[in-house]
Amino acid sequence: MAMMIDILDKSIKDMKDLRQREERRDNKAAQEALDQRFSVLTSQIHSLMLALQYTKEKMQFQLNDQILIELESLLEESKGIVKSGFAEKDPISQVENAHKTVQQNIKKDWAKHYSSMTNSTKSTLQVISGIDTEKVAKCLDGIAKGASWTTSIGDFKAMNQSLAEAKDLIDGLGLDQQIIAFLQKMNNGKATVTDLDENVLRWLRDESLDRRVKLSFVGGSRRG
């Protein structure tokens, strides 16, 4: 009987030891998963801050007061994730949601800033597309890389470089509003002989474009 009790006691002890090892294993796996989430989140917030710094310095992108408050709260909350010494589930989820909200709000503001920053340049590039198609296409492609908010600084650098190249290209053509209006009409097939005044003709000759402009009659009857 005593032997049976000893065997039962040992079995109970072994079961307790096994359960404790399993709990430690499960807790370790759960903690490692939380640590990984925290690591990814920290990296995302770091990339966000670098992107905001770059776009502010290079593109004068200013956050509105509400987003600044949200961003400050996000940074403060992220510090509380490991207040116990370990990454904790609820604080991580809270900061993940806050990060998502901040990103969405920044995306809306960036869309407005992008439009105001690029619309004029893109319109002019489209007007001169017939003059240097390859360079214009390259500039437009580069500018488009920054159309949507991202934390990839490489996209913003490509956009910034393309805007600078577009400016050089446009400035190098010596365009004024009259010439731009003429090119717009040309692109739309609406340019006529009356648009070819001395200023436009001189510009076409200076840019060696005069032989590339062709005029033709449109349908209609002659007046007698």
Side-chain angles (χ1 to χ4, degrees), residues 2-208:
M3 184 180 292
M4 181 64 70
I5 293 174
D6 290 342
I7 292 173
L8 287 172
D9 286 344
K10 185 176 183 307
S11 296
I12 292 171
K13 182 178 182 303
D14 289 344
M15 290 297 293
K16 287 182 177 179
D17 289 342
L18 177 61
R19 188 179 300 113
Q20 288 175 348
R21 287 197 298 272
E22 289 176 342
E23 287 176 353
R24 284 196 295 271
R25 180 200 63 198
D26 293 343
N27 289 339
K28 181 181 179 182
Q31 188 60 54
E32 287 177 349
L34 287 175
D35 290 344
Q36 177 62 21
R37 280 176 64 185
F38 178 56
S39 177
V40 170
L41 182 58
T42 300
S43 178
Q44 290 173 337
I45 294 174
H46 180 65
S47 296
L48 171 61
M49 298 307 296
L50 290 178
L52 288 172
Q53 181 181 18
Y54 181 86
T55 52
K56 179 181 179 181
E57 292 178 355
K58 302 296 184 179
M59 301 177 178
Q60 294 72 54
F61 179 46
Q62 299 287 345
L63 298 177
N64 64 51
D65 291 341
Q66 181 59 40
I67 295 178
L68 286 172
I69 292 172
E70 292 174 353
L71 189 60
E72 184 178 0
S73 177
L74 171 66
L75 296 174
E76 192 62 34
E77 288 176 5
S78 66
K79 296 176 184 177
I81 290 178
V82 291
K83 62 183 178 182
S84 65
F86 300 94
E88 299 178 11
K89 182 178 179 180
D90 289 344
I92 287 179
S93 297
Q94 184 174 342
V95 174
E96 285 174 337
N97 290 333
H99 174 257
K100 182 179 180 180
T101 297
V102 167
Q103 286 276 50
Q104 289 173 339
N105 291 336
I106 291 174
K107 184 176 182 179
K108 294 175 185 176
D109 265 21
W110 173 255
K112 298 174 186 176
H113 183 75
Y114 175 83
S115 293
S116 66
M117 186 178 180
T118 65
N119 279 355
S120 176
T121 298
K122 289 193 297 182
S123 295
T124 305
L125 285 173
Q126 288 163 355
V127 166
I128 65 172
S129 60
I131 298 175
D132 197 328
T133 305
E134 186 175 339
K135 284 185 179 179
V136 167
K138 182 182 176 183
C139 287
L140 287 172
D141 286 345
I143 293 170
K145 288 185 181 298
S148 296
W149 174 256
T150 173
T151 55
S152 172
I153 293 180
D155 288 341
F156 292 127
K157 286 183 177 179
M159 172 186 163
N160 210 30
Q161 178 64 28
S162 295
L163 283 170
E165 291 174 0
K167 183 178 185 303
D168 290 342
L169 178 61
I170 293 168
D171 289 348
L173 290 174
L175 302 174
D176 60 24
Q177 288 304 312
Q178 182 183 4
I179 295 169
I180 289 175
F182 169 74
L183 292 174
Q184 285 175 328
K185 287 183 178 181
M186 270 191 56
N187 287 346
N188 294 326
K190 295 180 179 180
T192 66
V193 173
T194 57
D195 295 307
L196 292 171
D197 64 10
E198 186 55 39
N199 180 47
V200 172
L201 287 170
R202 182 171 55 252
W203 178 80
L204 289 171
R205 287 192 293 267
D206 290 345
E207 298 298 327
S208 301

Side-chain angles (χ1 to χ4, degrees), residues 206-221:
D206 290 345
E207 298 298 327
S208 301
L209 296 172
D210 47 332
R211 293 184 180 276
R212 293 175 58 186
V213 175
K214 294 183 178 181
L215 302 177
S216 62
F217 286 108
V218 295
S221 59

